Amino acid sequence: AQGLLILGLLVFNLSLAMWDARLRHREMYKKALDLTSVLKRCSEVCHWRETNYPHLCSPYSPCITLQWTYRDGKVVNLPWALLVAGDTVLIRPGQPAPGHCTPIGDKDCPELRRGEVYSPPPNVGGHDNFTQPTARQPLPPQPYTMQETPYLRNLRQCLQEATLRPFTFHDQQQHLLLTNCVEEMAVPCIMMFMLLVNGLRLAYVSNWVTAGPWYEMLVLGPVRAVLPLLPLVFPTAWLCLTSYGNARLVALQHSNDLQESEVDPFEETDFGEKKSCEMEMSCVQLRRLFVDILLGRHNSLPRSANLLHVLGSVTALSCVDKKGILSWPNPTAEKVFFLRSARDPTPNASDSGIMEVGVSVEGGRGSVESENHLLQPTPTHHRHQRHRPESQTVAEQLDLTHDNACPFRLHFDDPAWRRYLSSLKPLGLAILLNTCNMDTQDHYTQFCSHVTCEALYNEDLVPVSNRRCLCELAKQIGFTDGAPEIFNLEQQLSTFRHVQPETVRRDIKFARSLALAT
């Protein structure tokens, strides 16, 4: 009876291990089929329009890969995961190719593979260092035809490497306890000890000590001593406990999703009352999740990506912010630097309350009105200053802080910042006419691509061509959205400077830090 019980447990453990391995190997494939069915259902009811895509001149972010693509005869900013073979894409100068693609029309353009950078030759002057200003036309984007679907490469890699996960902390401890300690050390030592003792007992002391048959002394005796050390119920307990832990994690996630939060998700500081972190979990829901995870019916990948083991392996938590993940891909200003004349009046902070800026828009005309007479000197004031020597220029810097009520708003730290209003007005107007003017976005995008392409021909150069949104700063100064309406965009000029290689090598750390900070 005992032998049949042990044999039954052995067969059950082997069957359970094979069944669990089969579920683990098919889990990622089943997940891919589920996603495919979801995409098919969405394609029947969802119809994308041109307004559903991101803007063509969206700020560049390394973590969000967008590609100019022709869809329904129009150029849209398409996420690279939605590209398919046969799409016509526009590769900008200095941009890496999303996949294998071939040029259209121009035979001189090279065929690009995944990750290769499109770097066309310049139209004027080559890539030599400039000694004087040179006018250039921005390099246009080149149309290419996609020869592959980029997402299939990632999907194929996920399917092939689904079972090649690194060992977690719990797996290492299990291997150390069962394999190294029990199977490789304890079992052989006890087996050899029992064979030695029973052999001596059978050969030399059988006349004084009762001894059984040789097969009982040399076979059954060591087996009885080793049998309690074998983990007969460990596979079942390991699988059940792992499934239960994953079920609790999934239940916590569902409870967190259903819990209503009144706190602004973009607010860094919570001034409300402290709430308890404990969440209630239903026993019925927990039992249902446990059964689904145990039988492989849940789509949370509990075997391929075991969240319980991953969290249990964490020994230290560090946060590395990549632009666009934890922080905004388009950060706001923190300091304002400007120059003013030393003879400009600087009233006291107590007088700053009467300085107000109002912007009125009438009939499509925008104007900036100042009620501060101190910022507009009278003719008498000019007559007194006419014979004075020319004053020097003074550098000023004002700090900006995010508004606690709204993280998109700013305010000056200096309560008397309006004393510099005459110097801040041109800066605010320039922001609305240049940086935050949608009419200039297309040309600026071409300029950034051109500068990036120029930097590819010199390994010491790092292009810093990211644009910042400063609308809130202009509004803080006193301008409204209608202020630029009295201006018309006639021409646009962008400039960049070639830095000498020896200068870059001498200060390479600073140059590299610019690319990381912008």
Side-chain angles (χ1 to χ4, degrees):
Q2 295 179 356
L4 293 177
L5 177 61
I6 295 174
L7 182 61
L9 290 176
L10 177 61
V11 174
F12 177 76
N13 288 332
L14 290 176
S15 303
L16 183 64
M18 295 175 61
W19 174 71
D20 184 66
R22 179 176 177 272
L23 290 180
R24 184 173 65 254
H25 282 79
R26 291 180 54 85
E27 191 174 46
M28 189 64 69
Y29 178 74
K30 181 176 177 295
K31 182 70 173 181
L33 292 180
D34 294 341
L35 292 178
T36 303
S37 61
V38 172
L39 290 177
K40 288 182 179 179
R41 291 196 302 268
C42 293
S43 63
E44 297 175 357
V45 297
C46 298
H47 302 283
W48 283 38
R49 302 177 181 177
E50 187 179 1
T51 55
N52 297 127
Y53 297 93
H55 194 273
L56 289 176
C57 302
S58 298
Y60 171 75
S61 178
C63 62
I64 305 175
T65 307
L66 301 175
Q67 176 62 54
W68 288 0
T69 311
Y70 279 98
R71 287 293 170 90
D72 298 330
K74 298 180 180 179
V75 180
V76 296
N77 216 1
L78 190 70
W80 71 270
L82 301 180
L83 291 172
V84 296
D87 276 343
T88 301
V89 298
L90 293 178
I91 305 294
R92 291 173 289 178
Q95 177 188 356
H100 180 208
C101 53
T102 55
I104 299 177
D106 193 353
K107 298 181 179 180
D108 297 333
C109 291
E111 183 176 346
L112 299 178
R113 299 287 178 177
R114 179 185 176 92
E116 293 183 353
V117 179
Y118 172 58
S119 55
N123 44 22
V124 177
H127 294 282
D128 299 332
N129 293 330
F130 296 101
T131 57
Q132 60 183 1
T134 304
R136 287 192 172 189
Q137 289 291 336
L139 297 173
Q142 173 65 29
Y144 275 80
T145 301
M146 295 297 302
Q147 301 297 327
E148 64 176 358
T149 302
Y151 184 73
L152 292 181
R153 181 190 297 266
N154 289 16
L155 181 60
R156 189 178 299 110
Q157 182 179 2
C158 291
L159 294 176
Q160 293 175 353
E161 301 180 1
T163 58
L164 302 179
R165 296 282 180 172
F167 291 103
T168 62
F169 175 77
H170 295 284
D171 293 331
Q172 295 176 359
Q173 294 297 317
Q174 173 196 356
H175 184 270
L176 175 64
L177 178 62
L178 296 181
T179 304
N180 296 342
C181 296
V182 177
E183 297 179 5
E184 296 180 359
M185 296 178 60
V187 171
C189 292
I190 294 178
M191 180 71 72
M192 295 299 297
F193 178 76
M194 291 299 298
L195 288 175
L196 179 61
V197 171
N198 289 342
L200 293 176
R201 178 182 174 185
L202 183 63
Y204 297 102
V205 296
S206 59
N207 297 328
W208 298 279
V209 180
T210 304
W214 65 270
Y215 60 87
E216 183 178 353
M217 300 293 294
L218 299 180
V219 178
L220 296 181
V223 170
R224 292 193 187 101
V226 171
L227 192 60
L229 299 177
L230 298 180
L232 299 179
V233 296
F234 180 80
T236 304
W238 177 266
L239 180 60
C240 293
L241 291 177
T242 302
S243 301
Y244 178 74
N246 284 307
R248 288 186 61 88
L249 290 176
V250 175
L252 286 175
Q253 181 182 1
H254 289 175
S255 301
N256 189 25
D257 294 340
L258 296 177
Q259 186 179 13
E260 296 182 359
S261 176
E262 299 179 356
V263 181
D264 188 356
F266 299 106
E267 181 60 50
E268 298 179 357
T269 306
D270 185 10
F271 296 98
E273 298 180 357
K274 294 184 178 180
K275 299 181 179 180
S276 176
C277 297
E278 297 182 359
M279 299 181 183
E280 298 181 357
M281 291 181 294
S282 173
C283 295
V284 177
Q285 180 187 10
L286 187 61
R287 183 173 63 253
R288 179 175 54 83
L289 290 174
F290 169 73
V291 174
D292 291 342
I293 291 176
L294 182 63
L295 300 180
R297 297 182 302 197
H298 201 268
N299 58 359
S300 61
L301 303 179
R303 290 173 172 82
S304 300
N306 196 326
L307 185 59
L308 178 65
H309 286 192
V310 172
L311 295 179
S313 303
V314 174
T315 57
L317 181 62
S318 62
C319 180
V320 179
D321 184 16
K322 187 177 181 181
K323 183 171 56 177
I325 297 181
L326 299 180
S327 63
W328 291 103
N330 199 18
T332 55
E334 295 181 353
K335 296 181 183 296
V336 179
F337 176 84
F338 57 91
L339 300 175
R340 67 173 180 85
S341 177
R343 63 181 180 180
D344 288 346
T346 55
N348 297 328
S350 59
D351 299 333
S352 62
I354 62 174
M355 306 178 198
E356 297 180 357
V357 178
V359 179
S360 61
V361 181
E362 298 179 359
R365 298 282 182 174
S367 61
V368 180
E369 302 175 356
S370 174
E371 298 180 2
N372 179 19
H373 63 281
L374 295 177
L375 297 181
Q376 298 179 357
T378 60
T380 305
H381 179 75
H382 280 288
R383 286 197 298 268
H384 286 293
Q385 299 291 338
R386 183 179 302 170
H387 301 289
R388 292 185 180 182
E390 185 177 356
S391 61
Q392 297 179 352
T393 302
V394 180
E396 295 287 350
Q397 177 178 298
L398 297 178
D399 294 333
L400 297 169
T401 305
H402 288 279
D403 190 353
N404 291 330
C406 180
F408 297 97
R409 295 181 181 177
L410 303 171
H411 64 81
F412 288 96
D413 293 348
D414 188 359
W417 63 271
R418 290 184 177 86
R419 70 176 69 177
Y420 308 112
L421 202 55
S422 59
S423 300
L424 293 175
K425 285 180 184 179
L427 181 61
L429 186 59
I431 290 173
L432 295 179
L433 294 178
N434 295 278
T435 306
C436 298
N437 188 359
M438 295 303 298
D439 295 336
T440 64
Q441 298 289 335
D442 187 21
H443 184 274
Y444 186 81
T445 302
Q446 297 181 13
F447 169 71
C448 292
S449 301
H450 183 90
V451 173
T452 304
C453 184
E454 288 285 344
L456 294 176
Y457 290 88
N458 194 326
E459 61 180 5
D460 297 322
L461 296 181
V462 178
V464 183
S465 55
N466 289 336
R467 169 167 278 192
R468 297 287 182 256
C469 180
L470 302 173
C471 297
E472 190 59 36
L473 177 59
K475 294 179 181 178
Q476 183 67 22
I477 295 174
F479 291 92
T480 62
D481 296 335
E485 294 181 0
I486 61 175
F487 299 92
N488 294 324
L489 180 62
E490 299 291 341
Q491 293 182 353
Q492 192 170 349
L493 177 65
S494 302
T495 61
F496 68 96
R497 181 171 65 95
H498 276 258
V499 183
Q500 298 297 330
E502 53 273 9
T503 304
V504 179
R505 295 190 190 98
R506 186 168 56 250
D507 200 8
I508 188 65
K509 292 183 179 180
F510 173 72
R512 296 295 179 186
S513 65
L514 291 177
L516 297 176
T518 57

